[in-house]
Structure formats: structure tokens, C-alpha cells
Amino acid sequence: MIKISTFLCVFCFVMPASIFAMHVDNPLTNNCFLSKTISSDSIKNSKSISFHFSTSKNVKEISIDKPLLYDSNTGYGFDFNSSSKVKINATSFSCEKPAYFSVQLPEGNYQVEVTMGSNEKASNVTIKSESRRLMVNQLSIPKGQKVTKTFNINIRTPKIDNQVNVTLKDREKDILDWDDKLTLEFLGQIAIQDIKITLKDNLTVVYLAGDSTVTDQDVEPWASWGQFITNYFDDNVVVANYAYSGSSLSSFKNGNRLKKILTQIKKGDYLFVEFGHNDEKIKGEGNGAWGSYSDLLTEFVQSAKEKGAIPVLVTPTQRRFFNKNGTLKETHGDFPAAMRAVAQKNNIALIDVTKMTTELYEAWGDEPSRKAFVQYPARTFPGQEKALDDNTHFNSFGANEIALCVLKGIRELDIPLKKQIKKETPNYNPKKPNYISSWTLPLSDRFEIAKPDGN
């Protein structure tokens, strides 16, 4: 595996977990933030902590008035050798290269308010969180104005209890989704004035269980719909994406991910389940679409229902393989039909992404559809000596189109979540898709040439 992490301009503000230490007997229920480096009296009994970027002091917030190098003892600073590339201005920090800002926090759901804008020039800010979950998409702010955006981020660790952990694959151990901090990535013409982080325990949580077509892909050029759907829900919803590359229903369960979800999911939350790509490879007696696949789907959805949560089954995305007549080849066999049958038998909501992606790819056609997948000539990305030619995994454009398909499915279901889709989100028709010519989302500057596990 060749992994290339080119941090062109990185701002990473990291605070040890002890800064936000909660009661050791129950780290998820005590809402007091206690700091060993900042006066605990100033934030004691508070659910929130705020950061102010300015050359002048602000006693109500933690002021950052110079580009300090990160130091684990003090708990914050500019990381990845980027202090020389970030400028602290009179009312904001600025950088024209991607910048990362992290705060080490206990596991939980957090609401983040980011105030942006500059008196000196116009801004255009994109914000991603953790492993490239899209939160703010190319927000233009005129010179002299400031705008505050609010969004929610799920922070988690592998720990379930003192004896049991989620089993992480080696490739997952260094990704931002499973570390002990909240990370924000800023891209574009950046001008960030304030960041406020608030612990929230009353959010609707959308848990995602799935494979490489669902997971938060940590690095470019890979992407999945689970990390783009985050941009389309209002500030009452948070997405907790437990999907991982190469997973099947059985490996997801055996790796304790379902167990971890079930320890946290509550009444009114959602469990979206999309599997198929890797389940198809499991052979032997008792397996197959109508065997273990159907049985495990039933177990997943019934487990969620027992917790008072709302399960939603999502049929697998199609692979990009065309017949000579321009129609799409069916590569999933009986698996989509088996999922539809489980949904009908158990009265479970279903989103037929298999059907929608068939319509989507056929609407694009063979050649244009390549632009939605990781298909790039050699030397497109740093260290990429050979062409990338993947017909399963999406780039950011393709992942966003799949997210729009899922949103279309949500809107067609009789579930409350459809009312929590942002009002400005357009209706989507996979038979009349968007084209990459209109896609301008800035690339992150961390790349990996090796493809995700699974096919």
C-alpha cells in the first residue's frame, strides 16, 4: 500500500482528553468540561467551549493570537508543521491551503458553530469534518460580512466497555474517524473567526452500517455517500457512520460494530443498513442471498426495532459494467431481491439504491459515468504512477450523486427523517443526473493510491 499524506497547509489544534475530562465512572453523561491548562472555573459546568482567532485577546473565549506549534503538554497548537503557513489576523485566521483544526474530546455528539468572514477580502469556505464528512459546501462570504454555520459531528472510539472493543482493520487505526479528537478541515479562501463546540445529547442519530460504498473514505480520491449525506440534514441530526471497506453483514457483526451501535442507539434514532458487495463472495452451505444474508439482515433490523429505533434497508449500489446496448449489467444476483423480501416480510422501510443507480448510470452512459468513479490517468495524484480504473468506488462527485439518491429514497418513505432534510436540498431524479462539469468541491490534500478493500 502506498499512502501519501501531503499536508500543504494544516492547522490542527489539539487538546488532550483530560482537558474535557468527564467523571470517570460515566464519561458520557457528565457534561462538565474541566481543563488542566485553562482555568477550570471559566468553563466548569458548561457544555461548550469556544475558540477565538484574533491578534487581540477575548476573555470570554480561548484566544489564539499567534500560530503556536502543537504541544501535547499544553494541548493545542498548529500541527503537521503548518504554523508558518497560517496567519492570525485582527479578527480571524486565514490560509489559502487546506487547514485542519482539532480538539481532543470524549466520545459523544457535538454541535459545532463556525463564524467566518473577513473585513479585508471575500471568503469562500468549505468545511469537512473527521474523515472528510462534508459539512459546509463552498460558502461565499462577501468582504466585510460574517456568517455562522452550525452542524453536528459524531465522535467515537473503539471502546465498548472495559472488556470489549470494536475490531479495527489495520488501515482504520490511523484514520480520523476513530481517533480521540474532533477534526475540522477548512478549504478554499479561509477566514475563520470563532469556533464553538457544544456537547449535545438530544440529537437524532442516523447510524450507518455498510461497506466501502458507504463508509467515510479518509483520503482522496475515494469517497462514499455516507460522508456526503451529512451536508443535507438540519442541525437536529447527526450521522454516525460505522461502515468500513470490505465489510459484510457477518464481519460487521463479528467486529462488534453492531454491538457498539446497539449500546448507543435510542428511541427515534435510525439504523441504515446497506450490504451486498462483499456478502456475495461468501460461499458455502447456509450462505447466499436467501441464507445467512437474509437472516443477518433480519437480525440487524429487529435489533434496532427492539431499541425503539427505525431501521432502513438500502439495497447495494450498482457496479459500473455496461452491456453493448448501453444497459447496465446486473452483478448483484439475488441479493437486492433478498433485501427487498426481508423489508416486506418485516415491514421495514427500504430504499432501492440498486434500482436508482441503474437508472443513474444508464442516464449518464458508459463514458460519462466514468467521471463518477475513481478513474484517473497516471500521475493525476502525487505518487500515482499507474492509471486508476475502479468501477465500484466513487470519487467525491459520484458519492454526492449517490447521497442524493438516498435522500430521494428518504423523502419517499413515511419516516420523520424526511422532515429533517434541509429545505434548500433540491429534489433529485437519477434519470436526469448532474454532470461533473458542474462539480467544483475542493479536494482535500491527503491522498492514498491503494484502493479500499472490497469490490
Side-chain angles (χ1 to χ4, degrees):
M1 181 176 69
I2 303 173
K3 186 169 184 177
I4 298 171
S5 298
T6 309
F7 292 91
L8 299 178
C9 176
V10 183
F11 171 64
C12 187
F13 172 86
V14 183
M15 192 171 295
S18 58
I19 288 182
F20 286 80
M22 297 183 178
H23 195 282
V24 293
D25 294 331
N26 194 343
L28 301 180
T29 59
N30 188 322
N31 293 327
C32 297
F33 289 136
L34 302 178
S35 171
K36 68 178 182 180
T37 57
I38 303 167
S39 173
S40 62
D41 291 338
S42 64
I43 52 176
K44 191 174 182 180
N45 298 320
S46 172
K47 282 185 169 185
S48 299
I49 187 166
S50 298
F51 305 92
H52 179 66
F53 301 90
S54 171
T55 52
S56 60
K57 297 289 185 181
N58 186 325
V59 295
K60 294 183 179 180
E61 300 173 304
I62 298 173
S63 292
I64 301 178
D65 60 356
K66 56 184 177 181
L68 299 172
L69 287 169
Y70 170 69
D71 185 328
S72 59
N73 293 319
T74 57
Y76 60 88
F78 294 94
D79 209 348
F80 302 110
N81 301 314
S82 65
S83 58
S84 62
K85 300 176 183 179
V86 175
K87 182 180 179 182
I88 306 294
N89 307 302
T91 60
S92 67
F93 86 79
S94 62
C95 185
E96 295 186 357
K97 302 292 185 180
Y100 296 78
F101 178 81
S102 296
V103 182
Q104 199 168 47
L105 295 171
E107 183 174 80
N109 295 315
Y110 294 88
Q111 191 159 89
V112 179
E113 299 173 52
V114 181
T115 300
M116 299 160 275
S118 168
N119 291 326
E120 285 72 42
K121 59 182 179 180
S123 307
N124 187 288
V125 181
T126 292
I127 303 176
K128 302 176 187 178
S129 71
E130 296 295 276
S131 292
R132 296 169 54 233
R133 306 172 201 167
L134 185 60
M135 296 298 173
V136 176
N137 186 358
Q138 301 170 88
L139 177 66
S140 293
I141 308 168
K143 175 183 175 181
Q145 294 186 18
K146 68 177 182 179
V147 176
T148 298
K149 285 293 182 179
T150 302
F151 48 85
N152 302 320
I153 300 175
N154 170 262
I155 300 298
R156 62 181 180 271
T157 67
K159 183 177 181 180
I160 299 175
D161 55 40
N162 290 332
Q163 286 77 42
V164 182
N165 292 319
V166 170
T167 302
L168 299 181
K169 302 180 80 169
D170 287 343
R171 289 179 64 167
E172 292 184 283
K173 291 176 181 177
D174 295 327
I175 69 173
L176 300 180
D177 274 347
W178 288 103
D179 61 16
D180 56 358
K181 61 183 183 292
L182 183 156
T183 298
L184 300 175
E185 178 185 1
F186 298 96
L187 305 99
Q189 300 298 317
I190 303 164
I192 306 301
Q193 299 183 17
D194 298 275
I195 297 174
K196 181 180 179 181
I197 301 171
T198 304
L199 181 66
K200 301 286 284 188
D201 55 11
N202 60 345
L203 298 173
T204 298
V205 186
V206 177
Y207 292 89
L208 304 183
D211 53 33
S212 59
T213 64
V214 184
T215 190
D216 293 341
Q217 296 289 355
D218 194 55
V219 289
E220 299 282 4
W222 318 94
S224 299
W225 68 259
Q227 64 197 130
F228 280 85
I229 205 167
T230 51
N231 184 47
Y232 295 107
F233 290 121
D234 65 25
D235 58 11
N236 295 306
V237 175
V238 66
V239 177
N241 193 345
Y242 282 75
Y244 71 99
S245 297
S247 65
S248 62
L249 282 160
S250 57
S251 66
F252 191 95
K253 177 185 174 181
N254 293 338
N256 294 323
R257 296 188 191 228
L258 180 61
K259 182 181 181 71
K260 172 87 173 183
I261 290 172
L262 294 176
T263 64
Q264 299 188 348
I265 201 168
K266 64 184 184 300
K267 183 178 181 179
D269 288 343
Y270 294 82
L271 176 62
F272 280 59
V273 182
E274 183 194 315
F275 288 95
H277 281 82
N278 303 302
D279 304 79
E280 300 162 11
K281 306 169 190 174
I282 302 173
K283 308 299 181 183
E285 186 177 354
N287 293 310
W290 306 106
S292 61
Y293 180 75
S294 294
D295 293 341
L296 283 167
L297 281 176
T298 302
E299 179 182 343
F300 275 50
V301 298
Q302 293 298 340
S303 296
K305 288 178 71 173
E306 289 171 4
K307 294 287 187 175
I310 301 169
V312 179
L313 291 177
V314 183
T315 60
T317 57
Q318 283 281 35
R319 299 182 178 95
R320 187 197 153 277
F321 290 110
F322 281 85
N323 296 306
K324 290 183 179 180
N325 64 358
T327 61
L328 203 68
K329 293 181 179 179
E330 174 52 67
T331 64
H332 289 305
D334 287 339
F335 284 82
M339 180 177 281
R340 296 179 191 118
V342 169
Q344 183 174 14
K345 181 179 179 180
N346 294 278
N347 194 27
I348 301 299
L350 177 116
I351 299 175
D352 200 334
V353 168
T354 306
K355 179 177 181 292
M356 282 191 276
T357 50
T358 300
E359 295 171 345
L360 176 64
Y361 304 168
E362 289 179 354
W364 274 325
D366 191 353
E367 284 303 313
S369 66
R370 294 179 184 275
K371 301 297 184 180
F373 290 81
V374 178
Q375 298 201 8
Y376 297 96
R379 291 177 289 281
T380 301
F381 301 101
Q384 179 207 345
E385 298 303 322
K386 296 181 180 179
L388 295 173
D389 186 14
D390 194 307
N391 290 296
T392 297
H393 299 108
F394 309 104
N395 57 22
S396 292
F397 165 68
N400 187 68
E401 292 293 291
I402 307 304
L404 292 172
C405 287
V406 176
L407 290 165
K408 172 179 168 62
I410 293 172
R411 281 173 160 160
E412 294 172 351
L413 295 174
D414 185 23
I415 55 176
L417 186 62
K418 66 182 179 181
K419 296 181 180 179
Q420 295 173 303
I421 298 172
K422 291 178 182 177
K423 293 181 180 180
E424 62 267 28
T425 302
N427 291 321
Y428 184 76
N429 183 354
K431 293 181 179 180
K432 297 180 179 179
N434 300 307
Y435 285 81
I436 200 168
S437 57
S438 63
W439 185 250
T440 56
L441 184 74
L443 286 172
S444 300
D445 61 358
R446 298 182 299 127
F447 303 91
E448 183 171 291
I449 305 309
K451 81 177 190 66
D453 294 334
N455 188 31

